[in-house]
Amino acid sequence: QVRLVESGGGSVQAGGSLRLSCAASGYTRYNMYTCMGWFRQAPGKEREGVAGIYTGRGWTFYADSVKGRFTISQDNAKNTLYLQMNSLKPEDTAMYYCATARRSCGLGDYDYNYWGQGTQVTVSS
């Protein structure tokens, strides 16, 4: 059974940092992913892509709103995805989700077929 478990969320003041983790398990050769991504959803807003990574080559991509502040990375040995978030802003407040995609992927959620339950990030001014 596929599982994606996020952790590392919390409450910080503006300008602070958090590191999110996403542990993946239960994948087989029949459903192994090619990409992993981070998404977020704030109350009353649509879910938006934050960052993604092609796990084989390590190619990364980011939403313009987080470029230069967030860094996505992976530890393939641990099947874990990370999101280092620096210089956090109140507008970064949201539930953050990780997800996996079997083939190509981008910042649109339609590419992703497995999702975690999310971890809350709250940034106060």
Side-chain angles (χ1 to χ4, degrees):
Q1 181 180 0
V2 170
R3 289 190 70 198
L4 293 169
V5 181
E6 302 95 336
S7 60
S11 297
V12 296
Q13 290 191 328
S17 299
L18 284 173
R19 188 193 195 203
L20 305 184
S21 299
C22 172
S25 63
Y27 289 85
T28 70
R29 60 177 177 171
Y30 300 107
N31 62 7
M32 183 52 66
Y33 49 84
T34 300
C35 300
M36 299 185 81
W38 286 101
F39 291 78
R40 66 186 181 187
Q41 187 167 21
K45 295 188 177 181
E46 292 188 355
R47 184 165 58 191
E48 64 171 339
V50 175
I53 184 168
Y54 279 83
T55 55
R57 294 181 177 270
W59 295 340
T60 60
F61 48 91
Y62 298 89
D64 288 342
S65 58
V66 306
K67 280 181 182 176
R69 300 189 298 122
F70 291 9
T71 302
I72 189 170
S73 63
Q74 60 181 342
D75 184 332
N76 287 336
K78 296 181 179 179
N79 295 321
T80 301
L81 180 72
Y82 302 100
L83 186 68
Q84 178 66 45
M85 306 186 295
N86 299 328
S87 302
L88 282 161
K89 304 175 181 180
E91 51 263 44
D92 295 318
T93 295
M95 185 71 79
Y96 283 71
Y97 301 89
C98 71
T100 61
R102 287 206 64 189
R103 297 180 177 86
S104 61
C105 63
L107 294 176
D109 60 6
Y110 43 80
D111 288 321
Y112 299 81
N113 55 345
Y114 290 108
W115 293 81
Q117 293 300 306
T119 185
Q120 177 68 37
V121 171
T122 303
V123 184
S124 58
S125 58

